[in-house]
């Protein structure tokens, strides 16, 4: 049986230093960091006030006082165009409105111009129309239906035309009512002029 003295036991319990741990450098700036010395003298205030700008606008004492109950302007509201034409109360068409009709007779009443469009049969794959004859009987423009229009009514169509479907063939060739030939002839020139103005940026 062995006996260990107190000094030997203290040396055994002492932590062993790590040989790879860095040795502190006494000249390192981090080790010699000192707190900043406070400045005992506070900053001296400037006794001279700022000089006013002589070009600044002078407040108008007669300017209107804002009304706290006035509505707040909507930032998304459209900006009025200063070049937009002012409506003329003496215009022959003072109230321009758009009407939707499900029957052709109320739509033709007192009309000055009647313009029809081509029935695109190549796109009608759902068979929503029983027949073209029934379509012409219910919606086709005929000489009898033109009696509901204003005297001197004119017929328009951009072409090509399905004769006997959206408009009767005899009415299409009647120069008293039909302007279809002139419209189709001028349509190419009008489209070319519009494309030129759009492409050149002119309005």
């Amino acid at each position: 049986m062995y006996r260990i003295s107190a000094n030997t036991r203290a040396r055994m319990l002492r932590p062993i230093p790590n040989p790879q741990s860095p040795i502190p450098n006494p000249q390192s700036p981090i080790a010699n960091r000192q707190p900043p010395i406070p400045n005992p003298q506070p900053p001296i205030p400037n006794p001279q006030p700022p000089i006013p700008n002589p070009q600044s606008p002078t407040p108008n004492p007669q300017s209107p006082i804002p009304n706290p109950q006035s509505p707040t302007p909507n930032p998304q509201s459209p900006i009025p165009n200063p070049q937009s034409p002012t409506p003329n109360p003496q215009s022959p068409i003072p109230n321009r409105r758009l009407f939707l009709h499900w029957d052709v007779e109320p739509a033709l009443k007192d009309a000055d111009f009647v313009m029809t469009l081509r029935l695109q049969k190549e796109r009608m794959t759902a068979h929503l129309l029983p027949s073209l004859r029934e379509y012409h009987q219910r919606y086709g423009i005929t000489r009898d239906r033109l009696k509901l229009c204003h005297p001197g009514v004119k017929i328009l169509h951009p072409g090509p035309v399905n004769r006997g479907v959206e408009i009767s063939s005899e009415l299409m060739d009647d120069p008293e009512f039909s302007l279809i030939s002139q419209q189709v002839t001028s349509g190419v020139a009008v489209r070319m002029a519009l494309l030129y103005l759009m492409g050149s940026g002119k309005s």
Side-chain angles (χ1 to χ4, degrees), residues 100-165:
L100 176 63
H101 298 281
W102 299 102
D103 296 324
V104 68
E105 283 80 8
L108 294 176
K109 186 177 180 181
D110 298 332
D112 296 320
F113 293 89
V114 177
M115 182 172 178
T116 61
L117 300 177
R118 181 176 68 91
L119 187 66
Q120 299 181 359
K121 298 181 292 183
E122 65 275 8
R123 298 186 179 183
M124 297 183 179
T125 58
H127 304 286
L128 300 178
L129 297 177
S131 63
L132 298 179
R133 179 181 299 177
E134 181 177 351
Y135 178 85
H136 180 72
Q137 291 177 355
R138 297 196 58 180
Y139 304 106
I141 304 300
T142 60
R143 192 179 297 273
D144 293 336
R145 285 191 168 123
L146 287 184
K147 296 179 181 179
L148 301 172
C149 303
H150 194 273
V153 62
K154 300 300 179 181
I155 305 299
L156 298 171
H157 196 294
V161 184
N162 295 320
R163 291 177 176 265
V165 181

Side-chain angles (χ1 to χ4, degrees), residues 25 71 91 109 128 135 139-140 144 164 172 176 184 191 202:
N25 186 8
S91 174
K109 186 177 180 181
L128 300 178
Y135 178 85
Y139 304 106
D144 293 336
M172 176 181 173
E176 182 182 357
V184 173
R191 291 185 181 93
K202 300 179 180 180

Side-chain angles (χ1 to χ4, degrees), residues 5-93:
S5 63
N7 295 334
T8 305
R9 185 180 298 175
R11 288 196 300 268
M12 293 175 63
L13 296 176
R14 185 182 303 172
I16 303 173
N18 187 6
Q20 297 181 359
S21 60
I23 301 174
N25 186 8
Q27 298 180 358
S28 174
I30 301 176
N32 297 330
R33 183 176 297 175
Q34 297 180 0
I37 301 174
N39 187 9
Q41 297 181 359
I44 301 173
N46 188 8
Q48 297 180 359
I51 301 174
N53 187 6
Q55 299 180 358
S56 60
T58 305
N60 187 7
Q62 298 181 359
S63 60
I65 301 175
N67 187 5
Q69 298 181 359
S70 60
T72 304
N74 186 7
Q76 298 181 357
S77 61
I79 301 174
N81 186 6
Q83 299 180 358
S84 59
T86 305
N88 185 8
Q90 299 180 357
S91 174
I93 310 176

